[in-house]
Amino acid sequence: MKTKIAAVCAVLFMLYGAKAEAVNLLVKAAVSNVFMIVNNVQLHADSMPEILNYKNQIYVPLRFIASEMGALVGYDPTSRNVYIDYNNKESTKSKLNATRTEGDFDLSLSSASAKYKQGDPIKIWSSLTYRGKEPITVSHGGSLLYFSLMDEDEYTEGYVKTAMLVYEKFQQGDNVVSFLDPGLFTTYWASKNQITYIDKYLQETPRPHILPKGRYTIKVHAEFYIGEKFDPSDETQHRKFSAEIPIEIE
């Protein structure tokens, strides 16, 4: 274990969730040989920033840990506020719904509210349910469900589907659920404003992952092929449909 003199001018968060405090002095800390395991998966050492041991307490890099757990982090140096936003998947009743039926599939899109205050978690989710009697196999690229948004200027941004091909088997009643990731909002704003250096933007913007005030249309898309063998030339097996809802950020 080697020792370092670290100038700690940011916010340090202890591993066990104690209070974080900003310090403005030099402290003597040791680089700790600690392995991190998230949801039973050990993170690769070469991808991890250094973890410090100070007075027998472990300090971890907040942005890295939050990212591994699906959260987004922003920091405002003026107010010295650290913002952590993540998808809260607790039980929620929907107040806004849209459905679309395509053959034996039902696609639904739900929101916990039609209006959100800027900065509040936006809880939007979708589900795809198979109603057919016979088991089937579907193939798709990346995620089976993916989201997009359109603003009042009709500027549209959506997740890019990957070239990876995935096969899934469905039986009657099988259901796939997907939650809208606020990372889409970051991509939307950076793309609309032609921000080239995304990493720099994320580091310097206090809350890069919240939607500006305005009205938006949120869409969920389902696209896949039916059959044991993927054949993009067979349009009779191709399914592509979507559902949409309007929301407002106040």
Side-chain angles (χ1 to χ4, degrees):
M1 180 183 294
K2 56 183 180 178
T3 302
K4 283 190 173 183
I5 301 297
V8 183
C9 301
V11 181
L12 297 180
F13 284 80
M14 286 185 285
L15 185 61
Y16 52 82
K19 287 185 178 179
E21 69 175 346
V23 294
N24 214 2
L25 66 157
L26 293 176
V27 297
K28 188 174 182 180
V31 176
S32 187
N33 187 24
V34 171
F35 295 97
M36 300 196 64
I37 299 172
V38 178
N39 282 346
N40 212 33
V41 177
Q42 182 174 312
L43 304 183
H44 293 291
D46 55 358
S47 67
M48 287 176 48
E50 291 177 336
I51 297 174
L52 299 181
N53 185 326
Y54 175 61
K55 293 185 177 180
N56 268 343
Q57 294 178 338
I58 298 296
Y59 293 82
V60 297
L62 176 62
R63 189 182 297 274
F64 176 80
I65 298 302
S67 176
E68 289 294 324
M69 300 182 72
L72 297 166
V73 176
Y75 176 62
D76 185 347
T78 303
S79 65
R80 301 175 78 179
N81 287 334
V82 174
Y83 298 95
I84 306 173
D85 293 278
Y86 67 99
N87 269 337
N88 187 341
K89 298 183 176 64
E90 294 178 355
S91 178
T92 303
K93 182 180 179 181
S94 64
K95 294 184 179 179
L96 190 62
N97 301 279
T99 58
R100 171 78 182 273
T101 298
E102 187 78 13
D104 292 326
F105 287 89
D106 292 337
L107 177 65
S108 70
L109 180 61
S110 302
S111 175
S113 178
K115 295 182 179 182
Y116 294 89
K117 291 183 179 180
Q118 189 178 36
D120 284 351
I122 297 177
K123 298 180 181 181
I124 294 178
W125 63 97
S126 177
S127 66
L128 181 69
T129 305
Y130 176 58
R131 302 297 186 188
K133 295 181 179 180
E134 299 297 326
I136 63 169
T137 299
V138 304
S139 55
H140 57 88
S143 177
L144 182 60
L145 302 176
Y146 58 101
F147 295 89
S148 67
L149 69 82
M150 182 175 67
D151 63 17
E152 295 174 276
D153 299 327
E154 296 189 353
Y155 186 88
T156 302
E157 184 65 37
Y159 289 123
V160 178
K161 292 180 70 64
T162 67
M164 176 180 62
L165 189 63
V166 178
Y167 286 90
E168 292 189 61
K169 291 189 176 182
F170 280 82
Q171 298 189 36
Q172 188 177 36
D174 282 355
N175 181 271
V176 175
V177 179
S178 183
F179 293 84
L180 176 61
D181 191 321
L184 175 60
F185 310 148
T186 307
T187 304
Y188 151 74
W189 191 245
S191 178
K192 183 175 183 178
N193 291 277
Q194 300 181 341
I195 297 172
T196 304
Y197 301 102
I198 300 298
D199 289 342
K200 183 179 179 182
Y201 169 70
L202 294 175
Q203 293 286 340
E204 296 180 351
T205 307
R207 300 190 77 181
H209 38 266
I210 65 172
L211 271 179
K213 295 180 180 180
R215 291 182 173 87
Y216 299 87
T217 298
I218 305 296
K219 290 187 177 183
V220 64
H221 308 264
E223 183 176 7
F224 52 89
Y225 285 82
I226 296 175
E228 297 285 344
K229 185 178 181 181
F230 174 68
D231 184 4
S233 65
D234 187 357
E235 284 299 317
T236 64
Q237 302 301 313
H238 187 208
R239 301 290 185 272
K240 184 177 182 180
F241 50 105
S242 62
E244 64 181 60
I245 55 175
I247 66 167
E248 182 178 354
I249 308 299
E250 299 178 318

